[in-house]
Amino acid sequence: MPRTVRRFAGAFVAVAVGIALVTAATLLFASGRPQVPDRLAAAGVVVRSVDAVAPADSFPPPVPLSSDAATALAGRLAAVPGVAAAIPDRTFYVQAIVDGRPFAADGRRQDAREGHGWASAQLGGLRLTAGTAPRGPGEVVVDRALGLSPGDRVTLLTAAGPTSYTVSGTVDSPGFHVTDEVAAALAPGVDTIGLMLRPGADPTAVAAAAREVTGTGARVLTGDDRGVLEPRDDARMRWIGMQVLTAVAALSGFVTVFVVASTFAFAVAQRRREFGLLRAVGATPRQIRRTVQGEALAVGAAGSVVGMLVGTAAATPLGWALVDAGFEPATFRVRLVAWPFVVALTAGPVVALAGAWSAARRAARVRPLEALREAVVEQRPMGWARWVTGLLLVAAGAALGVGTATSGSAQHSATFALYSMMALVSGVTVLAPAVVGPVVRLLRSPLPSRGGAIGMLVRGSALTAARRTASTAAPVLLTVSFAVLVSGMVRTSTGAYAAGRSARVDAGWVVAPDRAPGLSDAAVAAVPGAAILPTTVFVPPAEGGAGRAPRTAFGVEPAAFATVNRRLEVVSGSLADLRGDDTVVLTASVAAAASATGSGTTVGTGMAGASDAPVPSGATVPSGSAVPSGSAVPSGSAVPSGSAVPSGSAVPSGSAVPSGSAVPSGGAVPSGGAKPSDGAGAAGGGAGRGGVPGEYPVMFADGTVVALRVVAVISDASIPGDMVLPRAVARAHDPSALTSAVFVRDRVEVPAGSGARVVDVGTWAAEQDGAEDRLVWMFTVLLIAVSAGYGAIAVANTLLMAAAGRAADLRAVRLAGATRRQVLRLVTAESALVVLIGAVLGGVVAFGALLSIRAGLAEQVGAPVELVVPWTVVGGVVGLCLLLAVAASAVPTLRTLRSGPVQEPL
C-alpha cells in the first residue's frame, strides 16, 4: 500500500493543484460580474442611450444625445408617474494639480478623473461632508481625500488647460462636481439620464412607463442590469481579468492531463511484470484496463476534493492580488456560487481518466510472458498508431505556424501561434520515444566520455529505456516550450508594435502626457509641433442596418500632420483642402464602405448630391459638376475641366473630356472623345471619383450630426484610425477630448503644471501601451509560473518513481566496483540528460513558432522585427527543472545506498 501511494503521489498532487487553480479561477470568474457605479446607485431607474454598433469591440461606447435632445427627453421622463426627478448625467475629464503635477492617488480609477454637474450628485446619494454646493462657474465640490477644505483654492486641469477654482464643499466620493451650466459646456453630449423615484414607487412599473417614452431609442435599466453602466476602463479591466482566469484554468487542465499521463505511463512501464502475472493467472485485457482506470479515478476524485477546498480558501486572497495587480477593478468582490464547485468535483476525475487513457490501453496489451522476463527492456517504444498521431499533430502545428506567419491580424496571429505550439508540443511528446535516440547521440558531448563507464551507462540507459526517458522529459518539454513561446511572443510583439509606431513618426521628440490621460489645449499651444486630437464619432454601420458605428477621428493641422507622418499616402484629393468646419479626409476602407452602403452621397469633384438624370444632347456640363453613374454624355455635349465622369457613364463621339476631368474605370471614351493624360485622378484637388462619397454624415460626441465634405482619401496604413478632421472641428464638437501627443523636431520645454513632459520617439512608442504591456507581462509570468510548477511536480514525481524502481540496479552497480560518488554522478547525469532532452525539444518547438510570429508581426507593422527571448525567465525555468530533477534522483539514491544487500524484485 505505501508503495502504491508513493507511485501515484505525483499524479495526486498534480490533480489537487490543478483543481485548486480551477476552483479559484472559476470562483473569481463567477464573481466578476459588472457592478453598479456608486455615482448612479441611488437612481432606481437609469435611461441609457443605445450602444454603438461595433461587433469587434467588446465595449462599444453609447451613442450620445445632443444637449437639446437630452433636455427634452428628461422633461418627458420627469412626467412619468413615480419619478421625482430626471437628471441628465454629464461626464467630462478633470484632474487636480498638486505640487505642480496632476494628482493620481489612484490612477486606475476612471471616476477619480471625472467631473459631473452638481445635480448628478443626487444619482449617487452623495451628501456634503463640509461646505456648500457650487453656486458659480469658479466653484467646485471635491473628494475630501484630497485634503482640501471649503474656501481653499485648487487648480483643476481640464481639456482646455489649468484653471483655478474655489472649493465650495467636499464629499466622500472620488471625482469633482461643478455647476450644471459649467458641466453642460464641458460635456454637451449626454448618454445617461438617471431617474430619482418618489417614495414607494415601483422601479419595474416606472421602467415600463419609461420604455413607452423612449421607444427603441434608449435602454431602460433597473437593479443589477445597471451594472452595464460601469466605466469602460473598469469593464475593460474586468475583461482582462476574466481572460487571465480563463487562461489559468485552461492551462491547469491542459498541463494536469500531461502530468497524469506522464505519471501513469511511467507507472505502467514499471509494472509490466506485475500486469504480466495478472494476465498469467487469468486476468483479461479489459480487467487490466479497468484496474488502471480505477486507480486514475481514485486519484482524480481524491485530488478534486482536496483541490476544491484549497482553491476555495485561496480565492479571496487571489482576488485581492488581482485588484492590486490591475486585473480587476477596485469594486471587485469574491462571491461563493455553486457551479464552480460542481466543475471542480467533475473536472478532477475527468482529467485523471483522460491522462491515464493511453497508459490503460498500453497496460491491457501486456502479454502473460512478460512475467517471465528477467530484464525490463522496452520491446517496442513506438507503435503505428502513435506514429500516425504524432505526425498528424506535427503537421497540424506546422500548418498553424504558416498561418501565424501569413496572418494579417494580430489577434488571429496570436491564436494561431498558441494552437501551433500546443499541436507541436503534443506531437513531439507523442513522438518523443523515437526522438530520444537521435537527441542522445546529438548531446553526446555533454556526457562524460573519458574514463567511460558512467557516460556509457547514462547513454545506454536513455537509449534502451526510450519510453521511460520520453515520459520523464515530457513535462520539461512542455514547461520549456511554453515559457519560451509565451515570454518570447510577448516581448517580441511589444517591441514590434513600438518599432511600428516609431517608424510611422518623422520627429525627434514627443510631448506626452504626465500622470494624465492626455494633453490639454494649453499644453499644445505652448509648443510648436504636430498635435493629434483623437475623438470618437458615429456613422452608419459598414454592414448597413440600424444604429451607428463608432469611428476614430483625428483632429489635426493638415500641414504639420503631413510633415511628421511617414506613412501618409493620399489616394485621391488633397490634404490641403482640409479646412473650414465641414471637411473630412477618409481612409480608403471607410470611403469604400460608405459608398457600398450608401451612407455617403457618391459624387464627383466638389459637389454633393449630383443628379442621376441623363445629360441631353447639346447640354453643357459646367465646371465642377459631376456626370453621375449610368448617365450618357451624348454627341456634342461638353465636359469641361473639373468635371468627373464616373463608372458606367458613356462619353460618345464628339464629346470633349478636357484636362482635369476624371474618367474612371467603366467610363467609355469612344472614337472622337478626348481623354487627357491626367484624367485618371480626382479633378481639381477634390475627393471624388466614382464610388467615393462626397458627403459623409457624422455624429459627433456632442450628439450633433454634420454632413462633411470628403476632400481626400488616404490609405488605411496612413493613420491608426478612420478619418482626419480639422482640429478646430474636433474641439468644437468634443470639448473634453484630450490631445494624445505633440510631435516636435527639437527638444522643447513645457510649462509647469501643464501635465506634459518631453520624451524621445522611442520612449513614446514603447509607452503607448505601457499599462497594457505591464498587465500582459504579469499575466505571462503567472502562466509560466503555473506551467513551471506543474513541470517541477511531474519531473520530481517521475524521477522519484524511477529511483524506487531502480534500487536493485544501483546496488548492482555499487557491487560491481562503483563508488558512492560515481553512483550519484550516474543518477544526476541521467537526470540532467533528461532535462536537457526536454529543454532542447521544447526550445526547438517554441523557436519554430516564434519565427513564424516574428514574420507575421513584420508583415503587420511594416518594419523589421527583432526576435526577443527573455533568457532570464527561460533559464530560471530550466534551472528549476534541473534542480528538482537532481534532488529527486539524488535523495532516494542516497537512501538506497545506505540500505542492505542487493534484493531482486519479484
Side-chain angles (χ1 to χ4, degrees), residues 336-383:
L336 295 181
V337 293
W339 69 264
F341 301 114
V342 176
V343 170
L345 293 176
T346 305
V350 170
V351 166
L353 287 174
W357 177 80
S358 178
R361 286 174 53 85
R362 194 178 306 119
R365 291 198 298 267
V366 174
R367 292 170 295 179
L369 289 178
E370 296 288 337
L372 304 179
R373 295 187 184 275
E374 285 295 322
V376 182
V377 179
E378 296 174 357
Q379 300 300 309
R380 189 181 64 163
M382 291 286 293

Side-chain angles (χ1 to χ4, degrees), residues 865-877:
V865 174
E866 180 183 358
L867 184 63
V868 181
V869 178
W871 292 110
T872 53
V873 175
V874 177
V877 171

Side-chain angles (χ1 to χ4, degrees), residues 96 98 130 140 142-156 167 169-170 176:
V98 178
V140 63
V142 302
D143 183 4
R144 69 173 181 177
L146 290 176
L148 299 173
S149 302
D152 291 346
R153 300 292 293 177
V154 60
T155 300
L156 299 184
V167 176
T170 60
F176 303 84

Side-chain angles (χ1 to χ4, degrees), residues 419-436:
Y419 289 157
S420 173
M421 188 274 292
M422 293 175 67
L424 288 172
V425 167
S426 301
V428 173
T429 302
V430 172
L431 297 175
V435 180
V436 165

Side-chain angles (χ1 to χ4, degrees), residues 73-181:
L73 179 58
R76 296 196 302 272
L77 290 170
V80 171
V83 175
I87 303 171
D89 180 51
R90 303 178 186 272
T91 302
F92 55 90
Y93 163 74
V94 62
Q95 207 168 352
I97 299 294
V98 178
D99 296 329
R101 301 179 69 190
F103 182 70
D106 190 352
R108 290 196 300 267
R109 291 202 61 165
Q110 182 177 341
D111 55 4
R113 302 189 302 268
E114 290 181 344
H116 306 275
W118 176 244
S120 296
Q122 300 178 55
L123 303 178
L126 297 183
R127 296 292 183 269
L128 288 166
T129 58
T132 62
R135 297 189 181 92
E139 295 184 345
V140 63
V141 172
V142 302
D143 183 4
R144 69 173 181 177
L146 290 176
L148 299 173
S149 302
D152 291 346
R153 300 292 293 177
V154 60
T155 300
L156 299 184
L157 182 64
T158 65
T163 305
S164 179
Y165 279 79
T166 298
V167 176
S168 66
T170 60
V171 292
D172 193 12
S173 176
F176 303 84
H177 291 82
V178 296
T179 62
D180 294 331
E181 293 75 17

